[in-house]
Amino acid sequence: MTPHNNHDEEAKKDEQTSTANKDIESTEKLSPDIGITMPPALEEEINDFRSEAEKELVKLAEIYGPAGAKLSRVDAVTLMDGWNKVLAFQTMWKEAFFMRWRILLAREKVICSYNHNDTDENSKASHKFEKVVKLAEKMVDKNQDPIALCLGSRLSSGKDTMLALFDQTIRDLCPHTQTVQREAYRPTLEDGGAGLGFSLECNTVEEIFRMLSRCGLRPKHVGTALCEAFLWSLESHTPYALDDEKEDLEQRPDQGAFSRFVADKVARMAIKDMINIREDFATPMFTFHLPTFWRQVKAHPKMKNRFGEKFYTNLLTDYPELLDYFARADMDTLSSHIALAIDLMLLRYSEVVAEVDSVFRKTVDHLADMHRRLDIPTDAYPSIGLNAVKTLQPFFTEYVSSFENTQRPVTADELTQGLVASYMEVMWFVFHPMLKEEKLIAKAEAFIGQCAEELRWPQSQLSKRLCQVKLEINKTGTYSHTSDEIQVGARLAWRNSAKCIGRIAWNTLEVRDRTHVNSPSAMMNELIDHFMTATAGTNIQSVMTVFRALTPDESWGPRFWTEQGVRYAAYKDEQTGEILGDGANLEFTEFIVKKGYWTPPEPRTQHDILPCIFKMPGIDTPIVHEFDPKYLYEAQIEHPDYPDVAKLGHKWGTVPIINTMAMNLGGIQYTALPFNGWFCSIEIVRNLMERYSPEKFAMAMGIDTKSTRMWKNQVQYELDRAICHSFDKSGFTIVDLETVGEQFVTHCKREKANGRECPGQWSWIGGLAGPTNVTWHKEMRDFLVTPQYEYCAQQWKVVGYDEEPPIDFELKSRNTSSTTSLDTLSLAINSDEDEFDIKIPRVLIAYGSETGTAEAAAGRLGRSLRICRPIVCSLNDVAGMDVVTKKAITHVLVLCSTFGSGEAPSNATDFMKTDIPLRLLVGTKVAVLGLGSSMYPDFARAGINVANKLNQAGAVELIPLTKADEAVDSPAVISGWLELTKNLILPESLETQIEASLGFGNEPVEYKLKWSEATEAKEIVPRFSWPTGESICRVNEELIIGNDPTRSTRRIVFDVPPDSSYITGDHLSVQPLNSFDMIKRFAMVFEEELTNAAIAAGRDESDGTDKLVTWQLQQTFEVDCLDNGQVYPAQTCFSTPSTLADILQANVTLSLSSASVNDMVMLLKEHTSMMENNAKVADFVGSLEKLIGEGEKHNDGGSMESFLSLYPTLVDLLEAYKRSTKSVDERGVGSVPSIAYVLPILPRLQPRLYSISSSNVSSPRHVEITVGVVHATTDDGVVIKGVCSNYIAGLSPGTDGAHVSIHQSSFRAPRNLESPVILVGAGTGLAPMMGFVQDRAIALKKEGNTDLDGLECHLFFGCRSEEEAIYKQKLDEYERSDVLKLHLALSRSKVQPKMYVQDAVERCGEHLASLLIDEDCHYYVCGDARMGDECYEAFVNVLRKFCKMSRIQAVNHLKRMRVEERWQYDLWGVSTAMDESYAASKELTRKKRASRAMNWLNRMNSVNEEEIM
């Protein structure tokens, strides 16, 4: 409804303007005295806002009359009656109002942005208006309209919020009628509020007004546009409105009850509250006292740069339950950040009412995202707020006393209230994204729990599914359902539908999951299939076809405009006013004819079937499809006793397909889901009586309409008989009213037997059936149960496709730089339209892997997406990303680890160096998994860099960057990421369809070894020789004194590879070989397969197992993959043809890792399923699954470490499995999967990097490394021997060589000899320091320096005991020559107290502090990352204690050194060879990282505050 403008009486207009001014004046009287302290900018902003408010109030007065006009009792009852009808269809109405409101404001924004050009100038107003309508629709559809931008994360709940606003305001008009005896319509809203006095959600009308203002809505948003949307939606989306309600809406806006109500009680009140909230923060408390107080606090000696430390120390001490939420947070960064947040809260008071593009709004949105990523629960916000006040309260007294005798006194209570108010304004934005996520997770948990109950899932399956859902919500803001879940949800929604009398067959509903279908043509084909499925054999089957859900960035989602599968057109005779056809469809028919979407047939009849019209997001025009009549079954209406009824020519569609219902499953909205049950005869009777002429039916039945009492009842009865007769004759299912009533009662009994109360809306069941029906006296409660179906608004109406331009419509040229033409604006709003054809996703999986974890995970992902035939390769192989265009890649998935100081792995360096053309990846969806360890300062830096590089090329995030922390929960995160990306790219429904289209059956993938022709072999498997050559080992000597075979550190010297050189500080890359012992064990696991292959190749069985296996290992082979009849080379990490001996030695790793365990256990499980009498073996495999499953369930990696403690290598696992199968093997030898199945799973054997310990100055042609030989024992007693360290430790000097290369590093000594240097190395971490010291000694000698007293070089070296003090003799010589000062820390000495390097650092703290503050000081640390972390904390404490720095200052000082490349590190994973067993050391590190906040708190409490003041 477009409000009328009154231009007739100028005097009346002046009176209305005067009334608006009085509105402003009344607001001024209510506003607090802002005093003289208001800043000019704030005063100007408030004056501008008041001016805008005045203009909007004038417009309201012009259209809706003066403010304050009382509504009569009749008006109040009219409003209440009409509103009850709204609430009966509340889901439809609230969507219609809210979307119409957004559309109107979007149109205004388009018009205001318009700059006409010559083409537009000559266009008709109707053409211009049509452009405006389309652009506004696009703006709303992409959430770029004013309401969407203002509400932000609250947009999804905006419909409910506004419904609550109207509901409460209307009920306040009739408070005496709100105490009801039975059921009453109320809006179904979500609860809110954070408790403890910190109410962060809206619970009253006033709070809703405040929310709208906080979000940045202005008077123009809540004035005439809101009123117009309210009245329009009442008129267009209130079914079955009574005549008096329609008459009220048709009155002039200044006379109707609804129009005067919305203008006076909503729009004007909202504008006044908007003024008030701005002036609330213009008082001296916010403009003067709080900013002044905060500045004084920051400058206070006890608080300077320490507020964040005190804040979080108090918070975590007083509320220890919050420690878990900060377990992995960088507390130092947070401590620094909180002070900035308080700055924002107390110093930017003028922006507390947040304009969308203000610094305040952008900053709080960033804060909100950070808090959501930290998973800080909303119930923690009151504690955080109280703690902020508590941290500041000690400074209240001093501040209050300083203003006691001034004109602006203040009390401590007032300061507290002001702080709480400011905190609430900031946190009101910050908490909501997390609240939104919590609510969605709660809904998801409830729904998935229902699915688990219906599908009888075991608890383990439910737990796993909930973990998947939470991860997807956290990463994408939404989640997807499986086909089973959609089926359960659709059936439950039917069971829960209070208005449906015929839901007894709810559990037989056939649900067709078509959520993967996006092509309009394909969707129409699915609708045809729906018709055919529903009418198979004429015995109608209840069917639902579910298309994709609404996404978080959409407003409408896919929508059907045609309400039912078969609807009849209506035509109005302009002269007589008579309607031909179904009058209910008159407006829609006229609309689609006018727009040219459909041309009616000639001649027109009363049963012309309307086309199916469908609208997809991103496509400008709707899709129109006319079905072949053979799919649309109709029943000719005839009466068994009155033949003239048939002559009327009426017919009706036999399948009641409803298109315009939505379904909410666990917080996910489905907006396109054609659904049919079967007709109840009374439904058709009611429609025919309402839409066609009942008099004509009476005449055909011989009923006198003038003399017969209750003739309509008689017509209804006979028409009911006719409908049942006609459907029976046509052979289609229909149910009569008496039968369906009995079925409903039976349904209620069944529900009661299952412990469920059956919701029912009596007016739609008992009222429909009548007083003689069994349901008439059935007491019903109309309560909401989810899942649920919901009414949808009519999109075509809301958007306004059918509207003519208003009388005063005009596009005025605006000569400003910000305006654009409509065509340009269209390009800005409408991004490239999606391509909707169904296609198999084209997937690129690229990895950057140094240790093999990322590569193994990439292979695992590739196998899960095998139906898409993904490309799996290293990042270097796709440098520049040309492959995306060449192969039409739709999805790029990257798994990248981080090496060294945040560098990319060697197989990703070319990718990082090569530019990707701008916009090359536009439309390509990407997901990046960054692997690393938080023990390193640059955790997952390479993954972050890859993600940034892809985003800069225009890629679209499939999911945000994910980081897998090896120190905490890497296995669980990797598994979750792999599963999530697979499900997003290849949902279950799409996978099923692709399999069907490609003719895939259920046959598993087969792998086979294809052996080449037999060749000669040696009696002993020869050592692998690298075709590119090897560097000879020149020295291989032990550095540790003693005879303990488990403790060995060796000095090994190689020739520098040809055409290579190195710089001191670089790394030597060594390609290891698996030991012959390990290869032999592997071969013996598969001795039967290898022996049979040798015999089949012609070898004599009498040669014996050892000879046959040795011979077969030296034969070349290939691996074939057989997938649904297709044969192609299997994807492996090695090239074929090759020999198994070579591959096992040099190409594959036989060590297990978290990335490869899952695939191997799954392989064993599949192999076990094919065995007979396999219960014992299944128990063994089940125990393996439990270990892995528990680790993923708890997200801590602990159980995975237990698994690897039992089975550190593949051979250990296979040997254990083979032993478990002996009891079920008739031959007693055991069974294992074929080698062909194992090889594709195995990751590549990666090179190892060692810090070079020689100097390129003194030894340019030889390179020296210091190697700790790994020989450890797990907690389960399994011996672990490091593959590479044991390999090179066994090299014979002068004869043996290894495949080595130089790997450039950024670890470099300072060029200036006078720069203070601090070197820290533990164990073999001393290696690069030896090279640095050699260079330093040479340089000092070359310079001829004799006075070295002023040169500072401190070396802190840590080891267990004197016997393990490697290079001690050389170091002593350097110290005697004043090259360095040696600080030796022994942790297991028999004669000295226990000391670690970090202890030695703190012991020399005062002197080191003086060096660290030198602008030219350089620090180097090398060793395991745990030691590096402890040393970092030691230096922080040194700076705090001796330089009187706060922790934040100390941390920032060290960060600055890193930025200036004066703080360098060469760290690696946890040491396993020296101090602890493998599992124990990993667990220690994991626990330490998981309790990061507790460690930080302990450190804060361990420092004497007085010492650092």
Side-chain angles (χ1 to χ4, degrees), residues 623-740:
I623 294 90
V624 182
H625 186 84
E626 293 190 67
F627 291 112
D628 190 318
K630 67 182 180 181
Y631 299 119
L632 308 178
Y633 298 98
E634 297 170 281
Q636 301 292 329
I637 307 301
E638 57 184 68
H639 195 284
D641 300 328
Y642 302 114
D644 286 349
V645 170
K647 295 178 182 179
L648 295 175
H650 285 293
K651 52 186 175 180
W652 206 257
T654 58
V655 184
I657 298 181
I658 301 172
N659 293 329
T660 54
M661 295 287 282
M663 177 172 66
N664 192 305
L665 302 184
I668 303 301
Q669 192 84 353
Y670 293 89
T671 55
L673 51 146
F675 160 68
N676 74 271
W678 45 82
F679 275 117
C680 178
S681 58
I682 194 64
E683 296 176 276
I684 303 176
V685 171
R686 183 188 65 198
N687 289 336
L688 289 173
M689 294 282 286
E690 289 177 352
R691 303 173 187 176
Y692 295 88
S693 172
E695 288 82 1
K696 290 183 179 180
F697 284 114
M699 187 180 300
M701 297 171 184
I703 300 173
D704 188 349
T705 60
K706 295 182 178 179
S707 61
T708 304
R709 274 191 169 190
M710 301 178 66
W711 66 270
K712 286 188 178 180
N713 286 28
Q714 190 173 347
V715 170
Q716 175 183 321
Y717 169 73
E718 294 297 345
L719 195 52
D720 204 333
R721 287 183 61 206
I723 298 299
C724 292
H725 168 76
S726 302
F727 270 69
D728 289 343
K729 183 177 179 180
S730 301
F732 287 98
T733 306
I734 195 167
V735 62
D736 61 81
L737 196 54
E738 183 176 341
T739 302
V740 79

Side-chain angles (χ1 to χ4, degrees), residues 1094-1116:
I1095 295 172
R1099 301 297 296 179
D1100 194 331
E1101 187 175 358
S1102 63
D1103 287 347
T1105 299
D1106 286 348
K1107 285 187 177 181
L1108 291 174
V1109 168
T1110 300
W1111 184 86
Q1112 194 63 36
L1113 285 173
Q1114 298 176 65
Q1115 303 305 304
T1116 58

Side-chain angles (χ1 to χ4, degrees), residues 192-263:
L196 296 180
F198 285 82
S199 178
L200 292 164
E201 278 291 77
C202 303
N203 297 311
T204 66
V205 170
E206 290 74 18
E207 288 174 355
I208 293 175
F209 286 149
R210 195 172 184 87
M211 180 272 287
L212 297 176
S213 185
R214 278 168 166 157
C215 287
L217 269 71
R218 301 181 67 87
K220 64 182 178 182
H221 299 142
V222 297
T224 53
L226 181 143
C227 296
E228 184 179 342
F230 177 79
L231 297 171
W232 179 90
S233 54
L234 286 174
E235 190 174 49
S236 63
H237 281 75
T238 308
Y240 311 112
L242 300 177
D243 289 342
D244 60 334
E245 295 162 4
K246 294 179 181 178
E247 290 171 1
D248 182 87
L249 290 170
E250 291 170 357
Q251 292 191 57
R252 287 187 358 178
D254 61 344
Q255 294 179 358
F258 284 103
S259 55
R260 287 182 292 124
F261 156 78
V262 71

Side-chain angles (χ1 to χ4, degrees), residues 167-207:
D167 181 73
Q168 189 56 55
T169 310
I170 289 176
R171 290 180 188 278
D172 287 344
L173 300 174
C174 304
H176 58 287
T177 65
Q178 302 309 312
T179 303
V180 295
Q181 297 183 42
R182 296 184 69 243
E183 304 299 329
Y185 285 123
R186 296 291 300 205
T188 52
L189 305 174
E190 299 174 354
D191 57 355
L196 296 180
F198 285 82
S199 178
L200 292 164
E201 278 291 77
C202 303
N203 297 311
T204 66
V205 170
E206 290 74 18
E207 288 174 355

Side-chain angles (χ1 to χ4, degrees), residues 443-454:
K443 292 176 182 177
E445 286 178 335
F447 173 64
I448 299 299
Q450 287 177 299
C451 292
E453 183 178 348
E454 294 289 329

